[in-house]
Amino acid sequence: MAENNAPPAEKVVPLTEPPKEGEAEGEKGPSKGALKKMQKEKEKAEKAAARKAAEEAQKKQAEADDVSKNDYGELDPFGRHPGIPSNEKVPRVKLSTVAEEFQDTSKMDEPEGPHVVFTATVANSRGQSAKLAFMELEQEYNTIQAVIAASETLSRQMVKFTTSIPSQSRVLVHALIKKPKEPVKSTTIQNLEAHIKKIYIVCKADAQLPLQVADAERPIPVEGEEDNTKDQEDGRPIVTLNTRLNNRTIDLRAKHNQAIFAIKAGVSQLFREFLGAHGFKDVQSPALLGAPSEGGANVFEVTYFGGKAYLAQSPQLYKQMLITANFLKVMEVGPVFRAENSNTARHLTEFTGLDMEMELMDETDYHEVVGLLENLMLHIFKGLRSRYSKETDLVRSIYHVEEFKLPEAGKVPRLTFAEGIQMLREDGVEIADMDDLSTPDEKRLGALVLKKYGSDFYVMDKYPLAVRPFYTMPDPATYGSDPNDPNAGYSNSYDFFMRGQEIMSGAQRIHQASFLEKRMKEHVSPVDANSPGLRDYVNAFRAGCNAHAGGGIGLERIVMLWLGLPNVRLASLFPRDPTRLAP
């Protein structure tokens, strides 16, 4: 009975549930919600994989069914493509040749048009539909509209590929040349269009470029408005000169830039052509000097094998030394370096000089050289007008400027410095007899000459002796007129002007060593005839020398002023100025 009176056994309650199967003791498994989410993600991944596999299969099937698969694509670095037979050598043509050959579209006898192959740059492309697209293809400054249309022999895939080619990519095109229904006003070749049959990417451009060529084909901002980010008229972004020069190789693709440098090459060719026909030898003087010659403050110093050398400011002294060596007519086209901290729209620290020097048949009259130089410039101007009218018109369509007005041969306005001063005074300018002309004065005088003589080109003769270099021959009629001032009076020197800006400076040079030494001592800025940079130059005259004269022309200045460009940097491929040494 005692047993029945014992207290009941105490129930033991576990502190935690026992671990479920598959779980380690002390760890909690994922919740039902987490398991459900994992399952959905798994199903989603499986569907995505299936969809990708289906797309790949569809793509492979489409490629297999693509009738044009060998007619488009990207060439490898060696210009190869599976669709191009290794032994295929098809001659390429120039768009300019196509335009010339088919000016008369009635000559296009082939039923589908003549077949041509050419390389070009994609200026732009636009898809009209899945079956039709248009491109603008460019070669130098020639452009043509290209059409690509799907057909039984040309696939939609090829049309889609064509519209995906980034602007500025280089392409190889096989096309039929046809007459469009209406003239294509947006291209330079308006009476023809290219119907693409094959197209391959030769070099693919990046999709995003730092500069759009279409924006580079507009004028640079007006000075003082460079900070505006939008054009006031069309709202497109303004591309400043600095941005263009920082991305110069893209900027140079603009059609008007192609034209500018065709004209620049033409000026150089015309210069050599005229002087070559007059018996001038083409020479090359050194650009590296052992010591400063014409002015130590304005030269660039460079390291030369542990020592110092200097970049030549001009070939002037060497041209004269060649005259002493019986090279009696010399010309040179080469770089000129000026260490002048001038940040103006018309100055460069490196430019191309067109230089000439020649003996005088009559040592008492240097104007035979002035006359020859006038005829040289007229030859250049008339050559540009007749040979480069298309390029000139293209540039002037962007930089609107009046046509350059030329005088007749033998009627180039030739003023003395005193006459120029008088014209300025009559127009209200306060200026002394011997003051050197400032840039505003020169431009004002240019406007006065244009009004009076109807010419944008003129010559100013007989400059004050004090403002010319030490090697300039004084005017014998005024030299020594002031016993207290050896630099008083005028000189046998001249400058040439275009649109009121100087393009050339020249003079008769001193050809006797003793008189040269005298002028070196008494010059406004005296120089030492025995200095390392001048000793050999002076000594060259001790062996005898013909009387001679010449001049130096700035090539970029001619181009700038002929075309009416607002900045000389636009006439230099990769300009150098006090703040720019790249690219």
Side-chain angles (χ1 to χ4, degrees):
M1 296 299 290
E3 294 176 0
N4 293 333
N5 293 328
E10 207 174 283
K11 187 177 180 180
V12 179
V13 180
L15 295 175
T16 59
E17 292 289 331
K20 296 178 182 179
E21 186 178 355
E23 291 184 7
E25 187 172 352
E27 293 182 359
K28 188 174 182 180
S31 66
K32 290 181 179 180
L35 290 171
K36 189 175 181 180
K37 184 178 180 181
M38 291 170 62
Q39 181 64 27
K40 285 184 177 180
E41 289 177 351
K42 180 180 178 183
E43 291 172 356
K44 185 179 179 181
E46 289 174 347
K47 287 180 181 179
R51 185 167 57 250
K52 184 177 180 181
E55 288 174 354
E56 289 292 334
Q58 186 178 11
K59 183 179 178 181
K60 288 181 179 180
Q61 186 61 44
E63 290 175 353
D65 296 338
D66 186 355
V67 295
S68 303
K69 62 184 178 182
N70 290 326
D71 297 337
Y72 67 95
E74 191 166 353
L75 303 183
D76 72 8
F78 305 101
R80 300 174 302 193
H81 184 273
I84 302 177
S86 58
N87 60 349
E88 182 180 83
K89 299 294 181 185
V90 181
R92 274 51 160 179
V93 298
K94 288 285 187 181
L95 288 180
S96 56
T97 304
V98 172
E100 181 68 26
E101 185 175 354
F102 300 110
Q103 280 185 343
D104 182 0
T105 52
S106 64
K107 296 180 181 179
M108 300 167 65
D109 298 328
E110 297 180 36
E112 294 186 316
H115 182 271
V116 297
V117 180
F118 61 92
T119 56
T121 300
V122 177
N124 61 63
S125 62
R126 64 187 190 280
Q128 295 292 94
S129 67
K131 293 183 177 181
L132 179 65
F134 293 90
M135 306 179 79
E136 183 179 327
L137 299 177
E138 183 176 36
Q139 248 185 28
E140 295 177 321
Y141 41 85
N142 295 295
T143 56
I144 191 169
Q145 177 170 276
V147 182
I148 182 162
S151 64
E152 292 182 359
T153 58
L154 196 151
S155 67
R156 291 190 180 194
Q157 294 97 315
M158 183 170 168
V159 175
K160 183 178 180 181
F161 169 82
T162 302
T163 59
S164 71
I165 301 174
S167 174
Q168 298 307 304
S169 297
R170 301 298 201 278
V171 291
L172 171 63
V173 176
H174 294 238
L176 299 177
I177 299 299
K178 295 186 178 184
K179 179 181 178 181
K181 294 180 180 179
E182 298 289 339
V184 183
K185 296 181 180 180
S186 60
T187 57
T188 61
I189 302 173
Q190 300 185 352
N191 65 324
L192 302 170
E193 61 184 10
H195 288 245
I196 295 176
K197 296 304 175 185
K198 297 180 182 181
I199 184 167
Y200 305 98
I201 298 176
V202 177
C203 185
K204 193 173 186 178
D206 290 347
Q208 294 294 326
L209 295 174
L211 172 66
Q212 294 299 315
V213 174
D215 290 327
E217 290 180 335
R218 297 189 295 157
I220 62 173
V222 177
E223 191 173 357
E225 297 182 2
E226 293 87 347
D227 293 335
N228 293 342
T229 57
K230 296 288 184 181
D231 187 281
Q232 297 297 321
E233 294 182 4
D234 59 15
R236 291 166 60 189
I238 281 180
V239 182
T240 64
L241 178 61
N242 195 50
T243 299
R244 297 178 194 219
L245 297 182
N246 287 342
N247 302 279
R248 189 59 162 157
T249 55
I250 300 176
D251 179 50
L252 287 172
R253 296 183 184 186
K255 290 186 288 295
H256 73 284
N257 280 333
Q258 297 286 318
I260 286 171
F261 290 97
I263 289 168
K264 186 176 182 180
V267 173
S268 181
Q269 179 183 346
L270 289 161
F271 174 82
R272 285 189 166 107
E273 178 180 282
F274 179 88
L275 293 181
H278 284 76
F280 283 73
K281 291 186 176 70
D282 199 345
V283 299
Q284 297 78 39
S285 62
L288 282 171
L289 308 179
S293 54
E294 294 185 61
N298 295 326
V299 294
F300 289 109
E301 180 183 304
V302 297
T303 302
Y304 192 75
F305 299 106
K308 293 180 181 179
Y310 303 86
L311 298 180
Q313 293 170 276
S314 81
Q316 179 57 47
L317 305 189
Y318 286 99
K319 288 189 302 177
Q320 291 186 252
M321 291 167 75
L322 286 172
I323 297 292
T324 74
N326 284 336
F327 285 65
L328 300 182
K329 290 184 177 182
V330 294
M331 62 177 169
E332 179 170 1
V333 178
V336 175
F337 303 92
R338 299 281 171 86
E340 298 173 353
N341 194 16
S342 298
N343 292 281
T344 73
R346 65 181 206 151
H347 285 93
L348 294 168
T349 54
E350 179 185 353
F351 61 91
T352 304
L354 306 178
D355 278 88
M356 58 80 68
E357 203 79 19
M358 63 177 282
E359 68 167 338
L360 296 177
M361 298 300 291
D362 180 353
E363 62 277 356
T364 65
D365 186 7
Y366 64 95
H367 287 104
E368 64 178 286
V369 179
V370 178
L372 182 135
L373 285 167
E374 288 175 350
N375 290 333
L376 163 65
M377 294 309 303
L378 291 177
H379 177 77
I380 290 173
F381 296 146
K382 291 176 180 178
L384 292 178
R385 180 177 284 178
S386 62
R387 303 181 200 179
Y388 296 91
S389 59
K390 178 181 176 181
E391 291 84 352
T392 299
D393 291 343
L394 174 58
V395 178
R396 288 182 182 164
S397 70
I398 295 173
Y399 292 101
H400 305 290
V401 67
E402 293 291 329
E403 183 177 357
F404 193 86
K405 293 179 175 58
L406 290 177
E408 296 178 16
K411 295 185 179 181
V412 176
R414 191 187 294 180
L415 314 174
T416 65
F417 187 84
E419 289 170 339
I421 292 292
Q422 184 59 33
M423 288 179 68
L424 287 171
R425 283 177 178 160
E426 291 172 357
D427 198 50
V429 179
E430 294 184 5
I431 187 168
D433 288 348
M434 295 296 181
D435 283 354
D436 198 7
L437 298 184
S438 66
T439 299
D441 289 339
E442 289 180 349
K443 291 182 178 180
R444 192 163 182 173
L445 182 58
L448 294 173
V449 171
L450 177 61
K451 183 178 179 180
K452 183 174 182 178
Y453 298 100
S455 175
D456 278 313
F457 170 56
Y458 71 97
V459 177
M460 186 110 81
D461 192 16
K462 296 291 184 184
Y463 270 75
L465 182 60
V467 301
R468 305 305 274 203
F470 62 82
Y471 46 74
T472 305
M473 181 68 76
D475 174 18
T478 59
Y479 180 64
S481 58
D482 184 347
N484 298 316
D485 184 4
N487 295 295
Y490 295 98
S491 62
N492 291 355
S493 64
Y494 39 85
D495 281 358
F496 283 31
F497 292 84
M498 291 174 65
R499 300 188 195 272
Q501 296 194 55
E502 177 204 327
I503 58 160
M504 192 210 76
S505 184
Q508 180 181 356
R509 327 297 186 179
I510 296 171
H511 59 281
Q512 294 177 352
S514 58
F515 188 48
L516 180 59
E517 289 177 312
K518 182 177 186 297
R519 285 297 302 147
M520 293 169 91
K521 290 177 182 177
E522 67 186 21
H523 192 260
V524 173
S525 301
V527 291
D528 182 3
N530 292 313
S531 65
L534 294 170
R535 185 187 307 117
D536 292 332
Y537 164 72
V538 175
N539 286 340
F541 295 97
R542 299 189 193 284
C545 182
N546 297 56
H548 58 282
I553 306 168
L555 174 56
E556 289 81 3
R557 287 265 183 98
I558 294 178
V559 176
M560 176 182 76
L561 295 167
W562 173 258
L563 296 171
L565 301 178
N567 196 301
V568 72
R569 289 160 184 77
L570 297 173
S572 176
L573 284 171
F574 300 99
R576 296 292 180 257
D577 60 34
T579 63
R580 179 172 292 279
L581 273 173

